[in-house]
Amino acid sequence: MSPAASRRRRRVGAACALALPLLLGLPLRALAQIDQPSVTPRDPTPAPSLGQPAAQRVEPFAGLTGGGPRQDTNAPVTFTADEVEYDREKGLVIARGKVEAWQGERLMRADEFTYDRNTGVATARGHVQLLEPDGTVLFAESAELKDRFRDGVLEGVRALLAANGKMAANGARRTGGTINELGRVVYSSCDLCKDDPTAPPLWQVQARRATQDKDALRISYRDATVRFFGVPVLYTPYLSHPDPSTPRASGFLFPTVGYTRFLGAFFETPYFWAIDDSSDLTITPILSSRQYPNLGLEYRKLFNSGEILGSASIGGLNGKDTGGKEELAGHIFLKGRFTVDENWRAGFDLNRASSEIYLRTFRYEYRRVLTSQVYTEGFWDTQGYVRLDARAYQGLRTSDDTRQVPYVLPNIYAERAPREKVFGGFLTLDAGLLGIYRDIGSQSQRIAARARWERPEIDNLGGVWTFKLQADAIGYRASGQQEPPTNLPDANGTRGVGNIRAAVDWRMPFVRSAGEYGTQTIEPRVQFVTGPRMGPQRSVPNEDSVDFEFTDANLFALNRFNGRDRQEGGSRVDAALRGAWDFPNGGQVEGLVGRSYRFDNDFRDANPYPGSGLDERASAYVARLRIAPVSWFETIGRVRTKGDQPLNRQLADTTANLTVKGITFSAGYLYSVPLPYLTSDTVGRTASRSRDEVSAGIAGRINEYWRAGFAAKYDLGIGRWVLMQGFAGYEDECFILEGRFIKRFAQDPTTATLYPADTVVLFRIGFKTLGEYFFRAL
């Protein structure tokens, strides 16, 4: 048989256009040669199988299988092409024109594809494109592959990787489908300049050799140089980073170096350990010139039904630079949240630290009071709720007496709000059990229940009437109440407290159309509340009603005290006038002014909070004003003035925000009179200083890549700054540069000196897909 007779030609339909493995980066000008093609797949027509051994004596295409991409990595190599030629004597299959071959999840496109059935080697030439299952696209001038695409050699390699990574190399060798070795490599995740694609990217890594380990999910370089705009700025004999296709990989993170007043020069190099698919641990040792070594840990764990998040550290303070004594110190912040079933969930928080100075010195998360708890809570639609918890607190200031910090055990609360109406209104029932213990000082246990009922009605004129009832029943057992922090000697013993409040609330919204400018509303509102007088209540413990402030938010509340330990009694009338202008664009101008008047003459004994706004028969005036006519401007302010002196302010709180072309301007003002029942200095004398502060800030994007901001707060009362902070940053598709400055002027009330870590200067440099570098000073 002549060679011509031994060849047969067969045409098959055209198919896909995709590619294979190799997740790596780009070379200088070779990066500019990557032109991402259209890879929209076409439906493949039946194609020949090339997996039959050469020893089998069959017709060239007998028993060939067809179909699309398969998931089985041991599946035969299958392809489509415009033209296929089979040489029976040499055992060669040659495909030309829009060639697409796939094996399992890997696909290849080329101008010409040759498969040697004797050796199992496939050779592709001309515009070779390979696609991996993870979406990585590889380009090559030519490729020689075998062992079902697992092994091979490629020339003139260029690659598009995950997370915008790009790579180019003179050549590449693939081994076992998991190890890719490349020579003369360039890697970057930056886009090339549109005006001059041959120009170097913003940053790139050049290396003599690179290895991609797809099992370890890492890319390692030998003799690597980091370049900015083509200029070398760093050389390292070895560099390694996670494969861009994985968001989590074990390894050292970029170190942080810096200098602070209390640490001196310091260095920290975190190690990230991806324990498994659902948990990881970050280990951060900190070495400093002034303090003892410190070790920080951050742990995360996800479950099917919840999560655990935590951080901890251990180290030491030398006592000299921190104004204390030499000691071993540390902290632990641990949180768990779990879903038990469709109704119940549970959780815990464990938060403890050795001192405030320690957290501030090493810049761990600082909180004034640390709360630890364990709890469970249940939900039943919108009708039922139950919570059971136990709590422990830790005050961190040196002036805190830890013996007087309470333990809460138990704290049980249950609420029921049935959908069905009761006597035409809505009923809510709740009950609770609370126990508070201290090592020294006051202790108390409380059982409380409350029933609330509201029935709204609308009369023929459009007035809205709401009839309200509220009943409280509370039982106490208390001891040590003559001692701080309560100082209520008459509250010792066992007693019960009951209270009933009834109210009629009427409001009449007068609404008129303003045509194309929206609608206008004027709404007077009056509420009459009555119930038994409660007297001074000095024989009742007070744990949950200490923090009290009278504002427009609680003007119409039946009991305006925050908790259950203080009950408002007697008769009063509340009145307010509200006005609003609602615009068609969703904007609004709205304001309210109101006050309350008591009919009883025991108002001073009934309200133990001087300066709160409710310590006179006629309450202070409370007002609110919100101006937001457009989406880019809003200001809201609240004010409380003394009842008989409307211009004598007791509280003023105003904020405003204006956004212009992506830039947001903000301003604020806060004034409040001293609250002697809340604040006292370190020796027990009543604090008398008012808060009188102004603040301002500006933040936003300067252009597509740059953003910046600055904010400050100034205390008018003491004539000095309270806080200054600013930031500026650049971010594009591959690079992050950011600087932050924070200056706090908070003082330790015991020593009247600034706290540690009062000033922070932080610089962050990030190479996306490569790593981030931090520098912290002051």
Side-chain angles (χ1 to χ4, degrees):
M1 178 180 295
S2 68
S6 68
R7 297 193 182 98
R8 299 178 184 177
R9 293 179 179 270
R10 176 177 176 178
R11 290 186 176 274
V12 296
C16 300
L18 294 172
L20 149 94
L22 266 255
L23 283 177
L24 294 137
L26 309 180
L28 292 165
R29 293 188 179 144
L31 295 178
Q33 301 173 12
I34 294 184
D35 181 19
Q36 187 169 359
S38 171
V39 291
T40 304
R42 294 182 288 271
D43 293 334
T45 57
S49 170
L50 305 180
Q52 297 160 329
Q56 288 184 327
R57 300 181 61 82
V58 295
E59 292 296 317
F61 297 99
L64 297 182
T65 62
R70 294 182 171 89
Q71 305 298 321
D72 184 6
T73 57
N74 294 315
V77 177
T78 320
F79 72 93
T80 64
D82 288 343
E83 181 180 287
V84 176
E85 178 180 315
Y86 177 63
D87 189 325
R88 184 191 298 273
E89 292 181 352
K90 296 181 179 180
L92 297 177
V93 177
I94 305 172
R96 300 182 181 90
K98 298 180 181 180
V99 180
E100 294 173 354
W102 60 88
Q103 187 273 325
E105 294 178 297
R106 299 186 177 95
L107 295 97
M108 179 178 68
R109 167 187 274 183
D111 293 339
E112 180 179 301
F113 175 75
T114 301
Y115 181 74
D116 189 331
R117 297 185 62 180
N118 298 311
T119 62
V121 175
T123 304
R125 300 181 181 86
H127 302 95
V128 179
Q129 304 167 14
L130 303 171
L131 183 71
E132 273 290 271
D134 60 10
T136 300
V137 182
L138 183 72
F139 307 88
E141 298 173 2
S142 63
E144 185 176 286
L145 307 170
K146 62 181 180 178
D147 192 17
R148 305 185 187 275
F149 292 180
R150 294 184 180 90
D151 300 331
V153 177
L154 301 93
E155 296 181 359
V157 179
R158 304 181 306 279
L160 293 176
L161 314 180
N164 202 46
K166 299 181 247 342
M167 172 183 290
N170 288 347
R173 180 173 62 191
R174 179 176 175 83
T175 305
T178 59
I179 302 296
N180 300 309
E181 297 180 79
L182 297 95
R184 299 298 177 184
V185 181
V186 176
Y187 171 83
S188 179
S189 62
C190 300
D191 292 336
L192 298 175
C193 178
K194 295 181 180 179
D195 297 332
D196 184 10
T198 62
L202 190 148
W203 67 265
Q204 58 188 341
V205 176
Q206 280 188 298
R208 178 175 55 84
R209 188 179 67 183
T211 302
Q212 177 193 16
D213 189 331
K214 302 192 70 177
D215 287 337
L217 296 174
R218 296 201 69 83
I219 301 176
S220 303
Y221 305 89
R222 298 288 183 179
D223 295 332
T225 302
V226 179
R227 294 176 175 264
F228 267 88
F229 297 105
V231 179
V233 295
L234 175 67
Y235 168 80
T236 175
Y238 176 80
L239 176 66
S240 176
H241 65 84
D243 193 300
S245 64
T246 176
R248 300 170 65 251
S250 298
F252 284 99
L253 306 180
F254 270 48
T256 298
V257 298
Y259 180 89
T260 72
R261 183 157 54 101
F262 288 88
L263 289 178
F266 72 90
F267 175 83
E268 60 182 64
T269 174
Y271 180 81
F272 179 80
W273 178 21
I275 301 173
D276 52 39
D277 291 339
S278 62
S279 62
D280 56 56
L281 176 66
T282 302
I283 305 169
T284 307
I286 302 176
L287 301 176
S288 63
S289 61
R290 292 189 180 178
Q291 303 298 331
Y292 296 121
N294 185 277
L295 180 65
L297 305 173
E298 292 186 18
Y299 177 75
R300 302 184 299 178
K301 173 68 176 179
L302 287 177
F303 303 90
N304 291 334
S305 59
E307 64 177 3
I308 292 178
L309 305 173
S311 66
S313 69
I314 186 170
L317 299 173
N318 62 16
K320 300 176 183 178
D321 299 302
T322 55
K325 62 180 181 179
E326 184 176 0
E327 61 179 354
L328 183 68
H331 87 282
I332 180 170
F333 297 153
L334 188 62
K335 177 176 71 174
R337 300 291 184 265
F338 305 96
T339 299
V340 180
D341 56 31
E342 62 181 5
N343 298 116
W344 288 92
R345 68 183 183 186
F348 67 87
D349 293 279
L350 176 60
N351 298 302
R352 304 294 288 182
S354 55
S355 67
E356 176 186 28
I357 294 294
Y358 173 77
L359 294 179
R360 289 183 179 272
T361 298
F362 288 94
R363 288 184 170 85
Y364 291 114
E365 180 185 357
Y366 170 71
R367 311 170 198 172
R368 169 68 181 85
V369 176
L370 301 182
T371 302
S372 299
Q373 65 172 337
V374 57
Y375 74 90
T376 182
E377 55 186 352
F379 303 83
W380 291 269
D381 297 326
T382 58
Q383 300 183 72
Y385 173 74
V386 172
R387 179 183 173 96
L388 302 88
D389 68 56
R391 307 178 193 179
Y393 301 93
Q394 181 188 11
L396 291 181
R397 288 184 177 173
T398 55
S399 58
D400 293 334
D401 188 344
T402 58
R403 299 172 301 171
Q404 294 180 357
V405 177
Y407 301 92
V408 179
L409 177 69
N411 181 29
I412 303 174
Y413 178 81
E415 182 178 287
R416 177 72 176 174
R419 292 193 182 98
E420 299 78 14
K421 289 185 177 181
V422 178
F423 298 111
F426 300 97
L427 178 67
T428 302
L429 303 170
D430 65 58
L433 180 64
L434 176 67
I436 295 178
Y437 305 89
R438 294 177 173 89
D439 294 337
I440 63 170
S442 58
Q443 303 186 43
S444 63
Q445 295 82 46
R446 184 188 75 190
I447 182 170
R450 172 176 286 178
R452 290 170 292 179
W453 178 85
E454 290 190 6
R455 177 174 177 172
E457 298 286 351
I458 300 177
D459 61 27
N460 294 332
L461 298 178
V464 181
W465 296 80
T466 303
F467 303 93
K468 306 176 184 179
L469 284 174
Q470 179 173 295
D472 285 275
I474 310 171
Y476 291 95
R477 185 177 65 184
S479 62
Q481 296 293 313
Q482 72 278 5
E483 300 179 15
T486 54
N487 299 309
L488 295 169
D490 297 336
N492 290 318
T494 302
R495 60 183 37 82
V497 177
N499 189 21
I500 296 178
R501 308 292 285 162
V504 178
D505 187 341
W506 171 85
R507 56 189 177 91
M508 173 65 79
F510 296 97
V511 182
R512 76 167 190 172
S513 173
E516 61 179 337
Y517 298 104
T519 60
Q520 298 170 338
T521 303
I522 295 179
E523 184 182 65
R525 181 177 179 183
V526 178
Q527 176 179 257
F528 175 73
V529 185
T530 188
R533 297 183 182 182
M534 298 304 296
Q537 305 181 68
R538 297 189 183 94
S539 62
V540 179
N542 187 7
E543 295 283 0
D544 68 358
S545 299
V546 176
D547 185 5
F548 172 71
E549 190 111 38
F550 178 50
T551 69
D552 63 284
N554 55 15
L555 171 62
F556 290 93
L558 296 187
N559 180 22
R560 291 178 288 203
F561 298 120
N562 296 344
R564 303 292 174 91
D565 288 341
R566 287 296 174 263
Q567 294 288 319
E568 190 171 6
S571 299
R572 74 173 199 262
V573 61
D574 309 318
L577 180 65
R578 176 182 174 271
W581 191 334
D582 296 283
F583 301 104
N585 63 354
Q588 183 189 61
V589 174
E590 187 255 6
L592 177 145
V593 60
R595 75 183 305 195
S596 179
Y597 182 84
R598 294 179 58 86
F599 295 113
D600 310 299
N601 57 11
D602 62 344
F603 51 88
R604 287 190 175 88
D605 287 337
N607 190 300
Y609 304 123
S612 66
L614 288 180
D615 50 342
E616 301 288 344
R617 172 172 284 184
S619 75
Y621 287 95
V622 292
R624 176 185 73 241
L625 177 63
R626 177 177 180 264
I627 303 175
V630 289
S631 61
W632 43 268
F633 175 74
E634 179 182 20
T635 180
I636 183 169
R638 285 183 165 87
V639 66
R640 184 178 73 241
T641 65
K642 195 169 178 62
D644 56 350
Q645 303 174 36
L647 298 181
N648 186 352
R649 60 182 177 171
Q650 292 184 331
L651 171 69
D653 187 1
T654 304
T655 60
N657 292 283
L658 171 66
T659 302
V660 179
K661 294 183 179 181
I663 306 298
T664 299
F665 302 87
S666 61
Y669 174 72
L670 173 64
Y671 175 84
S672 66
V673 296
L675 304 177
Y677 52 90
L678 280 181
T679 57
S680 62
D681 63 21
T682 56
V683 295
R685 295 173 301 186
T686 300
S688 58
R689 193 175 71 82
S690 300
R691 293 188 63 184
D692 195 3
E693 300 173 350
V694 293
S695 61
I698 179 174
R701 285 192 172 274
I702 301 173
N703 55 33
E704 182 181 358
Y705 304 112
W706 284 95
R707 67 188 189 280
F710 178 80
K713 184 181 294 185
Y714 187 83
D715 193 315
L716 299 172
I718 58 178
R720 65 173 174 82
W721 294 101
V722 176
L723 173 69
M724 285 184 175
Q725 58 183 352
F727 74 92
Y730 171 91
E731 181 175 0
D732 58 21
E733 76 285 348
C734 68
F735 184 68
I736 299 173
L737 176 63
E738 184 179 59
R740 290 186 177 272
F741 168 79
I742 302 174
K743 174 66 174 178
R744 297 182 179 91
F745 298 86
Q747 293 183 346
D748 188 327
T750 304
T751 62
T753 59
L754 294 177
Y755 281 111
D758 56 317
T759 305
V760 175
V761 177
L762 178 66
F763 293 99
R764 173 191 178 201
I765 301 176
F767 304 88
K768 292 185 178 178
T769 72
L770 201 62
E772 294 185 348
Y773 173 80
F774 293 89
F775 175 80
R776 192 172 70 203
L778 303 179

